[in-house]
Amino acid sequence: MENLQCKCGHINPPGTILCESCGRSLTEEEQNKKLADMRYEGTARRSQTYNKSIIDKIWNFFSSVKVGVSIIALLLVAAAVGTILPQAQYVNVPVRNDATIKAYYADVYGEIGKIYHFLGFHDLYGSIWFIVLVGMLAISLIVASLDRFVPLYRSLKNQRVLRHRSFMNKQRIYAEGDAPADAMQKAEGKLKELKYNVTVDKNGLLAEKGRFSRWGPYVNHIGLIIFLFGVMLRMMPGFYVDETLWIREGETRAIPEAPGYFLENENFTLETYTGEGEEAKFEEAIDRVGSVAKNYQTDIVLYEAPEESLPGATDEMEKVKEHAIQVNQPLKFDGYAVYQMDFRQNELRAMTFDLTNKETEESLGSLTVDLVNPEKSYDLGNDARVDLLGYYPDFSGFEDGEPQTETPIPNNPGFLVRMFTPETPEGEVSFIVIQNTIEPLGDNQYKLTFQGAETRDVSGLTIRKDKTLPILGLGGLIFMIGVAQGMYFNHRRFWIQQQADGSLIMAGHTNKNWFGLKKDLDQVSEHASLPPYTDQQEEIETQEKLKNQQKVEGDELS
Amino acid sequence: MSEDKKAKKPIKKRNRAIMRSAILALLVFAIGYTIYNSVTAEDVEFLRTGDKAPDFVLKDMEGNQHKLSDYKGQGVFLNFWGTWCEPCVEEMPAMDRQYKEFEEQGVQVLAVNIAQSDFEVQSFVDRFKLSFPVVIDKSKSVMTAYNIRPLPTTILVNPEGEIERIVTGEMSEQDIKGFMEEIRPQ
């Protein structure tokens, strides 16, 4: 494409619609229009003019608003589809890995579940195509903004005061006619009073106000880009932590993703409303659902290991603080927050047995096995002793005669013991699980009878850290500034020129709020006795309406 | 003047191409990096082959402290296990046999138990007559530092203290032998 030379002599870049200098229409299509296309000031969007190399083609693809809107539409549809079946992180599988999650979708949702999983909808925000799509949106935002902002900025910065008549009379607000000799000076004064920036050149003036409103959309896009950048950072290690920690009463655990910090669970409490006294108002609800929770609370102690200490060395750690974590009252430290999320009650902690004679049922004493830290041998006095040969916290059966444990959690504890009494100094071997005793080496005289158990609760805590929040906040703030800038402020302009014969021509333009523009103009017109103006847009509309009416009437007549 | 403009044109065109390429390349790189992070997030998060193995210190059943960095110059076969984990139990005797072969060649085995009771671990050691040191990670802090998910996981540390290989799942005796040869000091 070639540069376009306007009749005024100015050379415009290819693709320009309105001459940068005088405002004449440069294309035939534009010349035939009644009103000038003032979007981007009639400048050439470069995307539409250079289309040579591959880079230019990619650039132009992303510069298109249609493409941008299509990407947004695709993202919306994808996000909607992602809510149809549950996301993988909320799926309940006993062992969590890729295979079990895949199987879960196939088993529970059938063929649809398989497709859903195959397409990556089960982990939407982590699936590659979704990230690519968001990335393309970011490219589109940046490229489209640059392509429009740069020429618009240049054009508004270099605007001329004197415009060609054909530019003026194609503006929506237009006036021409005689006016008093001092009309220009008076208009200038009034416009300045109305806070317009007025530039005078020879026989014309340009009054302008609120140009920064034109930058609103681009500021808005900068906000969005910052926001997307923050979201991107979340995927980098160290910026975003969302971890679960199950911790039993009495345990001390390293906090996941928080190196050097440890939590001790001192006590977990679940309180429910009694429905009596002051809490009588809950009675109805309690009757209906059984119980109403009043408080979930984990009393914890936070420890910190010295800076130079290594993982595994827990001897030197120091108490930082005690805190009662309740719902909505997290423990906060060093940018982390620890929330109460879940609990399990009544996990076995210790079991008490009596060593009894099977015939006489006489007890030789009792022993308590601490399931967290069982001992090798329990001395009951009077030459009675129980040796622990094996402990299987979650007994699941025998394999090659060896007892097996399914998990390290005492869900179904099994004990292999040897019992010594004055009567049986050689010892009798017995295997005990809840409500069952196996005597593998023949009949015993003695047995361990279960007396009672101690339990403890397990607290489910969530550890969160989000370093991207300030970035997301900044992005949101800039976004809102951009919106306000573009929405609540208008870029208003008036051009007034004195013709050789003494008459005036005047044109007005705003990017939005024509009512406000006319209000300003009314004041100026009255003060300076300008010729009456017309709203050409309204005129075109009423003419069209009239035409339609006549057509309808004509149809009726025939 | 028009000749002047014509001379400027190719420069302008080149500048435009460079500018556009640079912006697009930067954005494509950002997207690629995000995808890379999202794909690898599921694996051992911080640790990759070639990284320095995080140092730690844990006590064994006799109360002796074992510090990883003390074994610099030797290959360390770091095995995370639990008594409830069947494949862990399966590979223990083979590990013990190979340890006896490679001990004098400078390969150390450290078996890290995940927070079980002394009694359970001691019974296990006695049952299999294990000759390498077995340490217990009571607070799970070493497990956290290495981001161990499935058991068994074996981290092979070379004499320079770098991670040579990360193995998840059961190993055959042949595997174990091969891995020990990998980390044996030359």
Side-chain angles (χ1 to χ4, degrees):
Chain A
M1 271 211 229
E2 278 302 303
N3 285 340
L4 298 169
Q5 181 160 24
C6 178
K7 281 178 195 156
C8 71
H10 184 80
I11 294 166
N12 292 289
T16 310
I17 301 170
L18 303 175
C19 174
E20 289 173 333
S21 173
C22 67
R24 274 194 190 86
S25 303
L26 293 174
T27 62
E28 207 168 309
E29 191 197 351
E30 191 60 29
Q31 276 160 12
N32 294 330
K33 276 192 192 161
K34 281 201 169 155
L35 290 178
D37 181 1
M38 289 293 284
R39 258 203 310 168
Y40 315 118
E41 297 292 300
T43 55
R45 256 175 300 145
R46 289 185 285 182
S47 59
Q48 296 177 338
T49 56
Y50 306 107
N51 209 352
K52 286 176 188 144
S53 66
I54 289 189
I55 291 290
D56 286 339
K57 286 200 168 118
I58 297 172
W59 186 269
N60 296 346
F61 173 78
F62 284 110
S63 173
S64 155
V65 171
K66 267 185 208 156
V67 169
V69 172
S70 310
I71 293 172
I72 292 172
L74 279 176
L75 283 171
L76 282 177
V77 171
V81 172
T83 63
I84 295 175
L85 299 184
Q87 290 285 297
Q89 64 190 112
Y90 301 112
V91 157
N92 208 357
V93 284
V95 185
R96 182 164 280 274
N97 61 43
D98 290 348
T100 55
I101 286 173
K102 192 178 173 187
Y104 178 91
Y105 278 92
D107 294 347
V108 180
Y109 304 106
E111 209 53 44
I112 293 172
K114 267 191 207 163
I115 299 169
Y116 200 82
H117 183 277
F118 178 75
L119 293 177
F121 280 108
H122 67 291
D123 180 21
L124 188 64
Y125 298 149
S127 69
I128 292 176
W129 62 265
F130 191 85
I131 297 173
V132 168
L133 218 48
V134 174
M136 283 170 68
L137 178 65
I139 297 180
S140 162
L141 281 171
I142 291 173
V143 170
S145 300
L146 274 177
D147 249 19
R148 287 165 178 76
F149 172 76
V150 172
L152 179 65
Y153 177 82
R154 248 190 34 201
S155 149
L156 285 176
K157 202 176 170 215
N158 301 326
Q159 27 179 348
R160 302 284 172 88
V161 174
L162 293 171
R163 295 297 179 107
H164 191 254
R165 195 186 170 99
S166 73
F167 172 85
M168 308 267 284
N169 67 20
K170 277 186 179 176
Q171 295 302 319
R172 188 172 155 176
I173 300 293
Y174 179 68
E176 60 173 278
D178 293 325
D182 62 350
M184 287 287 279
Q185 283 77 27
K186 277 195 164 174
E188 189 186 336
K190 189 68 186 174
L191 282 162
K192 277 184 177 159
E193 199 185 310
L194 292 171
K195 305 246 164 67
Y196 279 80
N197 289 321
V198 181
T199 342
V200 180
D201 186 13
K202 291 175 200 153
N203 60 329
L205 71 78
L206 164 65
E208 188 181 19
K209 184 169 156 178
R211 188 196 287 180
F212 78 103
S213 149
R214 298 290 283 271
W215 317 138
Y218 311 107
V219 172
N220 177 302
H221 284 179
I222 290 169
L224 271 178
I225 295 291
I226 292 173
F227 195 91
L228 287 178
F229 179 71
V231 173
M232 184 183 97
L233 283 185
R234 282 191 164 206
M235 302 214 176
M236 315 283 149
F239 279 97
Y240 181 67
V241 171
D242 185 4
E243 291 280 330
T244 305
L245 173 66
W246 284 96
I247 183 165
R248 294 168 175 78
E249 285 172 332
E251 276 183 344
T252 303
R253 286 277 174 266
I255 304 178
E257 306 282 336
Y261 284 105
F262 297 82
L263 272 191
E264 182 184 354
N265 179 353
E266 287 197 311
N267 186 34
F268 173 80
T269 329
L270 167 61
E271 284 175 277
T272 52
Y273 286 107
T274 56
E276 284 162 15
E278 271 186 25
E279 297 169 358
K281 60 185 168 203
F282 294 105
E283 208 177 334
E284 201 187 313
I286 291 167
D287 285 345
R288 200 174 60 235
V289 295
S291 70
V292 178
K294 183 179 177 181
N295 183 23
Y296 302 97
Q297 180 175 326
T298 309
D299 299 327
I300 58 93
V301 185
L302 175 71
Y303 296 97
E304 188 182 1
E307 192 108 341
E308 67 283 357
S309 99
L310 296 173
T314 49
D315 301 342
E316 302 152 11
M317 62 188 192
E318 279 170 25
K319 190 159 149 183
V320 179
K321 63 170 151 181
E322 289 180 39
H323 185 83
I325 302 176
Q326 292 175 314
V327 176
N328 292 336
Q329 282 173 18
L331 161 75
K332 291 202 170 168
F333 66 95
D334 196 15
Y336 294 88
V338 182
Y339 293 89
Q340 180 72 50
M341 286 299 269
D342 206 348
F343 66 95
R344 281 198 303 264
Q345 281 187 303
N346 303 329
E347 197 177 277
L348 284 170
R349 170 81 171 78
M351 290 170 86
T352 304
F353 300 93
D354 269 6
L355 180 61
T356 49
N357 188 311
K358 276 160 87 175
E359 251 168 60
T360 63
E361 296 198 348
E362 188 195 345
S363 170
L364 294 183
S366 69
L367 66 143
T368 299
V369 183
D370 179 352
L371 299 183
V372 180
N373 197 12
E375 279 165 47
K376 246 182 129 78
S377 182
Y378 296 85
D379 197 345
L380 308 183
N382 304 326
D383 288 337
R385 189 175 101 228
V386 176
D387 281 3
L388 192 59
L389 304 179
Y391 165 52
Y392 311 93
D394 197 1
F395 175 67
S396 58
F398 294 94
E399 211 167 271
D400 302 329
E402 187 71 33
Q404 302 295 311
T405 181
E406 181 110 45
T407 69
I409 300 156
N411 294 323
N412 182 29
F415 307 93
L416 187 64
V417 294
R418 190 187 283 271
M419 303 166 288
F420 300 89
T421 66
E423 280 171 81
T424 56
E426 295 292 300
E428 293 176 323
V429 174
S430 175
F431 184 75
I432 307 143
V433 281
I434 292 169
Q435 298 194 332
N436 196 9
T437 300
I438 297 162
E439 294 172 351
L441 306 174
D443 259 359
N444 292 345
Q445 282 187 42
Y446 283 86
K447 67 167 183 177
L448 285 180
T449 43
F450 175 70
Q451 293 299 317
E454 274 173 47
T455 62
R456 60 174 172 174
D457 301 332
V458 196
S459 188
L461 304 174
T462 291
I463 294 105
R464 290 242 172 84
K465 184 175 88 168
D466 195 348
K467 275 194 185 168
T468 67
L469 277 181
I471 300 173
L472 297 183
L474 179 71
L477 180 73
I478 293 176
F479 180 95
M480 287 314 295
I481 290 173
V483 168
Q485 198 176 335
M487 297 289 279
Y488 299 123
F489 298 89
N490 325 125
H491 179 216
R492 298 174 184 170
R493 273 176 301 172
F494 293 111
W495 298 268
I496 308 178
Q497 269 171 49
Q498 196 147 31
Q499 305 287 87
D501 62 2
S503 69
L504 282 187
I505 55 174
M506 190 277 305
H509 180 262
T510 179
N511 61 337
K512 53 172 65 80
N513 188 6
W514 292 85
F515 178 77
L517 180 83
K518 287 180 200 168
K519 250 174 74 179
D520 283 356
L521 182 54
D522 287 341
Q523 290 185 58
V524 179
S525 279
E526 199 186 328
H527 183 76
S529 317
L530 298 178
Y533 65 89
T534 49
D535 183 335
Q536 305 201 73
Q537 177 83 38
E538 275 177 11
E539 239 168 40
I540 293 168
E541 277 165 20
T542 39
Q543 269 172 19
E544 266 170 19
K545 245 188 221 163
L546 218 67
K547 244 188 236 162
N548 284 339
Q549 258 174 14
Q550 282 167 348
K551 211 181 152 203
V552 171
E553 281 166 12
D555 285 351
E556 276 171 1
L557 280 173
S558 65
Chain B
M1 188 186 160
S2 71
E3 260 179 31
D4 231 32
K5 279 218 163 166
K6 260 182 196 161
K8 267 184 195 164
K9 222 178 159 188
I11 297 170
K12 244 181 140 182
K13 209 169 119 189
R14 210 187 55 209
N15 286 347
R16 187 185 78 227
I18 291 170
M19 193 68 191
R20 290 184 171 185
S21 308
I23 292 172
L24 288 175
L26 185 75
L27 290 166
V28 167
F29 173 78
I31 297 169
Y33 188 57
T34 310
I35 290 171
Y36 172 73
N37 269 295
S38 121
V39 169
T40 52
E42 305 297 316
D43 304 344
V44 178
E45 219 160 300
F46 295 108
L47 290 186
R48 300 203 176 102
T49 307
D51 286 354
K52 194 178 180 305
D55 202 6
F56 64 84
V57 57
L58 287 173
K59 273 190 196 132
D60 69 11
M61 305 313 294
E62 277 84 48
N64 304 319
Q65 294 226 337
H66 293 268
K67 192 169 161 188
L68 182 67
S69 52
D70 287 348
Y71 291 107
K72 201 153 187 184
Q74 297 184 44
V76 181
F77 191 96
L78 199 57
N79 178 264
F80 291 85
W81 68 285
T83 63
W84 73 94
C85 140
E86 236 173 285
C88 307
V89 179
E90 299 285 336
E91 66 192 13
M92 279 292 179
M95 265 166 58
D96 197 48
R97 277 193 296 275
Q98 292 304 320
Y99 171 62
K100 282 172 183 154
E101 294 283 320
F102 282 88
E103 191 186 358
E104 281 172 16
Q105 302 176 41
V107 176
Q108 181 65 39
V109 171
L110 274 182
V112 182
N113 176 278
I114 306 298
Q116 285 190 283
S117 63
D118 292 352
F119 177 83
E120 284 165 276
V121 176
Q122 189 59 58
S123 316
F124 188 89
V125 170
D126 294 346
R127 183 177 146 209
F128 289 101
K129 301 193 176 61
L130 300 177
S131 48
F132 48 75
V134 176
V135 292
I136 306 180
D137 185 15
K138 289 270 185 198
S139 67
K140 295 192 184 176
S141 54
V142 177
M143 179 191 171
T144 309
Y146 277 81
N147 209 355
I148 301 296
R149 287 278 153 80
L151 289 183
T153 291
T154 303
I155 311 272
L156 297 168
V157 184
N158 67 21
E160 284 78 47
E162 289 158 359
I163 295 174
E164 186 77 26
R165 188 194 281 271
I166 299 169
V167 190
T168 51
E170 194 180 337
M171 301 171 287
S172 70
E173 183 147 7
Q174 208 53 44
D175 294 338
I176 295 170
K177 190 169 179 224
F179 294 152
M180 288 196 177
E181 268 163 11
E182 262 178 37
I183 54 171
R184 176 177 57 185
Q186 296 306 314

